[in-house]
Every structure is written in structure tokens, then in C-alpha cells.
Amino acid sequence: MKKTTTRLADGRELIYYDADDTADTVVRDAVDRRPLEPVATHSELRHDRLLGDTVAIASHRQGRTYHPPADECPLCPSREGRLSEIPDTDYEVVVFENRFPSLAGGAGRCEVVCFTSDHDASFADLTEARARLVLDAWIDRTRELSQLPGVVQVFPFENRGKEIGVTLGHPHGQIYGYPFVTPRTSLMLRSLAEHRERTGRNLFDDVLADETADGRRIVLAGEHWTAFVPHAAHWPYEVHLFPRRRVPDLLALDEEARAEFPRVYLELLRRFDRIFGPGQPPTPYISGWHQAPFDEPARREFGLHLELFTIRRTSGKLKFLAGSESGMGAFINDVPPEAAALRLREVASQ
């Protein structure tokens, strides 16, 4: 992988990632010629005294780009006189600082990851080689963000689909470098500690072993990765992807797991697009990596994994987070996890 770092006109960092087979011929020296004003952010972290969590107040995000037409997409390359966030006329994978970050001012960092220059593609359309390049970019950004003062946890994720709330149609994801341990991770760490105290064993190891032994919720299994619908899935179609050898974060994955990941993950995404049958619009989803916080004492006990889920519960119907979920955080799932796993196995050959 070749990595080229540059700056946009307003000082934000931008990094090109190019595969080894093109690295010798590609030169990334395009200059951002836009007359941009310096980024002005108004992000503030506030502590919720009742729940004990942290909320980011980011009023500047009200002015962020919202559903632009395809010919004005800021994530496409700069071509034919139209200037975008990416100065070059083409690219493979690009990461840059978000102009409208949720976390800013030295309290974390937000980045955008563009998976391809093809505006009409999706992650599922990528080749295995390109998906591996994205994985390498995630790994590199985890390493780099871990060195920033105050960043304690890195979360690479993708929101896909207008139903999720995506405002830019170009295939892309984001990376958040949190200055705090997120509530969801805190719950996992609590369960991890309780399980160790009660059984003397590792919770992530036992979850994977139990799902493998049961078998009903396994979606697919490779030599180094296992994908399953969790026993208590919150979402209609939800898959957790675990490496068979437990590691705390992306940095610790060995080469064998890195090499197999693109095939397994692309197959999962393609199955998600087939869940609801032919002729249906692309399945909206959220996909994200859960990694151990950097300064957590239980870091060695944590298990890296990816969680992928959709809010669509059946054709033309969405799972809304209404009173119980939004008001009390108590989920109600309309699709039995065993039925969801069966459906995801059924669509494997379609």
C-alpha cells in the first residue's frame, strides 16, 4: 500500500491510499484550488449526570452538505473544472478530515473514508483487492488516531442509505476518534468483567464458541472469521463478524485474517442486498468496527468484531425506534434471530 498525505485549502489533512500494483505509477500531487475559509467548529462535550454518558453538541453541523445532485457531489474526484473535497482527477481510497465534524477542537477527531471514486457504486461492488485496501486504510487510521492526544477509542463505520440518514450518496464511511469510552463499549466492558468474575473465562470467546456449537444462527464461516446473528439481536437483520482468534483491535489482526476478510465481508454485504428479494432497493445498513479503548485496563480481554445491521424489517417497512427503544433503551425485535440467520443463508446462492 502507498500512502500520500497532503492538505486541503483550509488546512485539513487528506490521505490517498493506493494499492501496491499501482503505487509506482501514481503521483498524488494535485492541489486543492478552492477558496475555502478556515474550518469553524463549535463542538462541545457535555456530561449527562443522570445517565453518566457524554453528548457532543455540534451546532455547526446544521450547515453541512445535504443531498446534493450527483454532479455536485463533494466526494467525487475533481474533474472537468468542478472542484471537490478530493483534488485529484481519480483515486482508489481517500481519507480526509470532516469539514463538519461532530468531534473537534482537540476533543476527538472525525474523518471521512471514500471507498471508490465511482459515485454509483457501493461497498458490495468493490473487488476483494479494493476491500483489502479499505481494510488497510482502517488499520492505518486506527494506528494514527491512537497517537493523538485525548483519543481513547477509534470507531470506523459506514452508514448506507437515506433511511439511515445518509446525506451524501457517494459510497463512503467515517472514522470517529472518541475522547471518551462510548456507552456501548462501556456496557461490553462491564459484561466482560462480570463474566470473567463469574466463570473465569473470556466473554467474547464464550459467545463465539456458544454460537458455533448451537449453529442455528451461523450465517457463514471462513477459516479465520465467523459471522452469526446474535442470540439477542436488537435489529431485524443483524450480523456480528468475529475473528476466530480474539484480538483487541484491527492493528492486532494477523495477515491470514486480513487476507480472508474481504471475501467474507463482501459476501455478507451482497447477501444483505438480497434479503428482501429481487427488484427491491438496496438494503440500508450500518456497519461498524468495535475496538478496545487504548487505555482500558481490560484491553487484552476485549474482542474486536464488526456489527452489521439494517433497520428494514420487511419489504417496504422499517424498524422505527419508538417509545420503548428511544424512550427506555429497551429493544423489541420483530424478526426471530434464527429466522434472520436462515434467510441470510438462503440468499447465499441467489
Side-chain angles (χ1 to χ4, degrees), residues 8-194:
L8 296 173
D10 54 12
R12 288 176 294 134
E13 187 176 26
L14 180 144
I15 308 108
Y16 295 98
Y17 293 91
D18 292 290
D20 288 337
D21 57 353
T22 59
D24 292 338
T25 59
V26 172
V27 177
R28 303 295 187 187
D29 58 1
V31 176
D32 185 6
R33 294 181 282 112
R34 297 173 298 170
L36 296 180
E37 296 292 331
V39 174
T41 60
H42 306 282
S43 183
E44 176 188 357
L45 299 181
R46 295 189 180 182
H47 177 70
D48 187 314
R49 295 166 62 188
L50 291 181
L51 298 181
D53 60 5
T54 301
V55 177
I57 310 297
S59 59
H60 63 277
R61 285 176 53 79
Q62 287 280 37
R64 67 187 184 274
T65 308
Y66 188 80
H67 293 303
D71 60 357
E72 296 179 15
C73 174
L75 305 184
C76 287
S78 293
R79 295 174 179 165
E80 300 173 354
R82 191 181 69 81
L83 304 178
S84 73
E85 289 279 66
I86 296 92
D88 213 331
T89 57
D90 200 6
Y91 64 85
E92 294 185 38
V93 175
V94 167
V95 176
F96 60 89
E97 289 184 76
N98 197 327
R99 185 168 173 81
F100 303 96
S102 303
L103 305 167
R109 173 150 158 154
C110 296
E111 299 181 338
V112 177
V113 185
C114 297
F115 306 135
T116 171
S117 61
D118 184 351
H119 180 85
D120 298 317
S122 70
F123 201 117
D125 297 324
L126 302 183
T127 64
E128 289 187 17
R130 178 59 60 82
R132 171 58 192 267
L133 185 59
V134 174
L135 174 63
D136 289 340
W138 284 332
I139 293 170
D140 181 73
R141 298 317 301 155
T142 297
R143 179 184 299 108
E144 293 295 323
L145 294 183
S146 73
Q147 303 303 311
L148 294 182
V151 171
V152 301
Q153 185 177 13
V154 174
F155 180 52
F157 65 97
E158 180 191 2
N159 298 327
R160 192 244 207 159
K162 291 183 178 180
E163 300 93 329
I164 297 294
V166 174
T167 57
L168 296 176
H170 195 105
H172 72 288
Q174 300 180 64
I175 303 175
Y176 276 20
Y178 291 105
F180 53 84
V181 178
T182 62
R184 188 171 178 83
T185 303
S186 295
L187 290 175
M188 291 184 197
L189 291 170
R190 185 183 71 184
S191 296
L192 182 66
E194 292 174 350

Side-chain angles (χ1 to χ4, degrees), residues 189-251:
L189 291 170
R190 185 183 71 184
S191 296
L192 182 66
E194 292 174 350
H195 188 80
R196 172 64 72 183
E197 178 68 23
R198 186 173 66 255
T199 69
R201 299 190 303 271
N202 180 274
L203 176 59
F204 290 96
D205 292 346
D206 281 1
V207 165
L208 181 56
D210 291 346
E211 290 292 353
T212 300
D214 183 289
R216 291 175 298 162
R217 291 176 294 277
I218 298 294
V219 174
L220 62 89
E223 185 178 352
H224 303 283
W225 296 88
T226 300
F228 59 90
V229 177
H231 172 74
H234 289 59
W235 301 95
Y237 291 90
E238 175 181 343
V239 173
H240 292 189
L241 180 60
F242 275 44
R244 293 198 176 189
R245 183 179 71 86
R246 175 171 47 85
V247 294
D249 57 25
L250 290 167
L251 297 170

